[in-house]
Amino acid sequence: MARSEYLFTSESVSEGHPDKVCDRISDSIVDIFLAAEPEARVAVETMVTTNRIVLAGEVRGPESITAEKMEAAARNAVKEIGYEQDGFHWKNSNVDVYVHSQSSDIAQGVDAAGNKDEGAGDQGIMFGYACRETKVLMPAPIYLSHKILEDMATARHSGAEPGLLPDSKSQVTLKYVNGEPVGATSVVVSTQHTEDLDQAKVKEIVRPIVENVLPDGWMCPEDEFYVNPTGRFVIGGPDGDAGLTGRKIIVDTYGGAAPHGGGAFSGKDPTKVDRSAAYAARYLAKNVVAAGLADRCTIQLAYAIGVSKPLSVYVDMHDTGSVDAAKLEGALVEAMDLSPRGIREHLQLSRPIYTPSSSYGHFGRIPTDDGGFSWEKTDLVEAIKGALS
């Protein structure tokens, strides 16, 4: 039996968090390859530490994308985030590029040939989720955690709050009654700041941002509002802690409110089902909820390397659905081609659209004019209803 009253917490990290710096750089590399050749293959990881950036991985794409261009993309990503500090600077950091050609063994399994359709780039399971807690059909704790940091970054980039620096984290705990969020019981924000600010001043900078993000009446008690609880956060970013691509997969998805298959997204082209099938699963789950077929929906997809069809499609509507789950599974397969090629073409994923997804979540975002966040559209509602009928 589902609990009617409980607390649930999710966290987010900013674009300047060391791991997110890596995600941003890796997705910048994906974008420069896809801009030059939509069929390019990219799997690039990034590591950062004090004034050092390391790129490693495998690619298949135009020779015009040289190590020098990858280095330039990495530096530009760091510059756009805003790192010009002694310990990590877009201009002064050492950049090492260890990127080689894609394995021919992987290529032969993934590429289409003869009567064989394009296969999945790896085996794995991917999950998608949607619920009615927010207007973008995302769980409220992760949505609010992202929004706090996004608004802080906007204030920093605009110059409105020059005392804020790029590295920050947030955490929101909500109280649920009868399965619905009703208010925050605690909020935690840790943000890197300039030397001249003390903890009290940072708290007063952060307070109006948090109050503006939370719905009216949702602000937590004062003694549960924690800002820089260690007292000081001047040394941050990659100078304070090393970062790696793909270490914030729960931040990237549903904040722990739904399962995760384990695969990271950033640094991977859309033939990698870790990324594209997770986007497809979210797209399907969101359209199920938008269609009024359920208040909550989890979808699992499974793939094998080199095989084009999904091995399984599973739907859980958490006792909120108005249709039979098995029938809905069949309808989803009818409404959308869930082969790697089908996903990529339906959502138009072979475009340089991934850099913005590297921070503040891959889901719950607004589709953009250039095709970004196409998996957040609710344009499959009628097709799903039609398949059900």
Side-chain angles (χ1 to χ4, degrees):
M1 180 180 295
R3 294 175 61 188
S4 63
E5 190 168 321
Y6 56 91
L7 304 181
F8 193 85
T9 304
S10 294
E11 71 155 347
S12 180
V13 298
S14 72
E15 65 201 63
H17 182 282
D19 295 331
K20 280 288 146 197
V21 172
C22 294
D23 287 344
R24 173 72 164 266
I25 292 171
S26 291
D27 274 339
S28 296
I29 302 303
V30 172
D31 281 349
I32 63 170
F33 270 93
L34 293 181
E37 183 179 302
E39 300 302 317
R41 302 288 190 262
V42 185
V44 171
E45 312 293 336
T46 304
M47 188 275 283
V48 295
T49 186
T50 302
N51 274 331
R52 183 169 294 276
I53 301 167
V54 180
L55 306 180
E58 58 173 35
V59 297
R60 190 178 73 198
E63 293 182 358
S64 60
I65 308 301
T66 61
E68 290 74 21
K69 287 190 176 180
M70 285 186 265
E71 176 182 339
R75 292 190 187 278
N76 186 61
V78 173
K79 182 180 181 180
E80 289 182 347
I81 292 169
Y83 274 112
E84 296 185 345
Q85 301 170 9
D86 289 343
F88 194 68
H89 196 296
W90 65 270
K91 188 175 183 180
N92 301 330
S93 292
N94 294 314
V95 181
D96 299 313
V97 180
Y98 302 104
V99 176
H100 58 81
S101 297
Q102 183 187 53
S103 160
S104 58
D105 290 347
I106 292 176
Q108 72 176 358
V110 175
D111 291 348
N115 293 325
K116 173 186 172 296
D117 195 7
E118 178 184 298
D122 202 352
Q123 71 175 49
I125 57 173
M126 298 83 205
F127 288 92
Y129 180 74
C131 64
R132 294 197 178 279
E133 292 180 17
T134 60
K135 61 184 179 181
V136 292
L137 305 185
M138 283 288 286
I142 187 66
Y143 175 79
L144 296 172
S145 295
H146 285 322
K147 183 62 175 168
I148 289 168
L149 296 186
E150 233 183 331
D151 286 1
M152 287 171 55
T154 297
R156 175 174 63 84
H157 284 298
S158 71
E161 294 295 349
L164 299 180
L165 296 180
D167 192 0
S168 58
K169 303 177 77 171
S170 64
Q171 185 170 285
V172 175
T173 301
L174 297 184
K175 181 178 181 180
Y176 282 71
V177 175
N178 296 322
E180 299 293 331
V182 297
T185 61
S186 68
V187 175
V188 184
V189 178
S190 295
T191 181
Q192 188 185 17
H193 58 87
T194 53
E195 185 82 41
D196 59 303
L197 298 181
D198 60 18
Q199 184 185 24
K201 180 59 178 175
V202 174
K203 189 171 187 177
E204 292 316 303
I205 291 173
V206 170
R207 182 190 302 279
I209 295 173
V210 172
E211 291 176 339
N212 186 60
V213 167
L214 296 178
D216 290 344
W218 278 36
M219 186 61 181
C220 63
E222 182 62 24
D223 61 355
E224 294 292 333
F225 179 42
Y226 304 96
V227 176
N228 285 7
T230 63
R232 176 182 166 88
F233 188 1
V234 174
I235 300 172
D239 189 29
D241 191 11
L244 293 169
T245 301
R247 283 206 300 194
K248 290 293 179 283
I249 59 176
I250 301 304
V251 170
D252 283 344
T253 53
Y254 307 102
H260 194 296
F265 303 156
S266 292
K268 298 175 181 177
D269 74 76
T271 66
K272 278 70 171 177
V273 286
D274 276 345
R275 180 168 220 159
S276 57
Y279 290 172
R282 162 64 178 173
Y283 176 64
L284 293 176
K286 186 173 184 181
N287 276 270
V288 167
V289 174
L293 303 175
D295 292 333
R296 294 173 60 202
C297 182
T298 299
I299 293 176
Q300 183 204 58
L301 304 175
Y303 291 85
I305 188 169
V307 179
S308 61
K309 67 176 184 178
L311 305 185
S312 65
V313 178
Y314 169 76
V315 174
D316 182 357
M317 291 177 281
H318 307 277
D319 297 321
T320 69
S322 60
V323 296
D324 178 72
K327 187 175 181 181
L328 179 57
E329 289 163 0
L332 295 179
V333 172
E334 183 178 333
M336 182 179 179
D337 179 356
L338 293 174
S339 69
R341 181 196 297 276
I343 292 170
R344 198 178 72 248
E345 292 180 350
H346 187 105
L347 297 177
Q348 297 183 286
L349 297 179
S350 296
R351 294 184 285 185
I353 56 174
Y354 297 104
T355 298
S357 72
S358 63
S359 54
Y360 312 117
H362 292 247
F363 307 131
R365 309 291 290 275
I366 305 301
T368 57
D369 291 341
D370 66 355
F373 303 104
S374 59
W375 51 92
E376 289 298 309
K377 294 181 178 180
T378 54
D379 56 1
L380 202 66
V381 166
E382 295 307 317
I384 294 172
K385 289 181 175 179
L388 281 169
S389 64

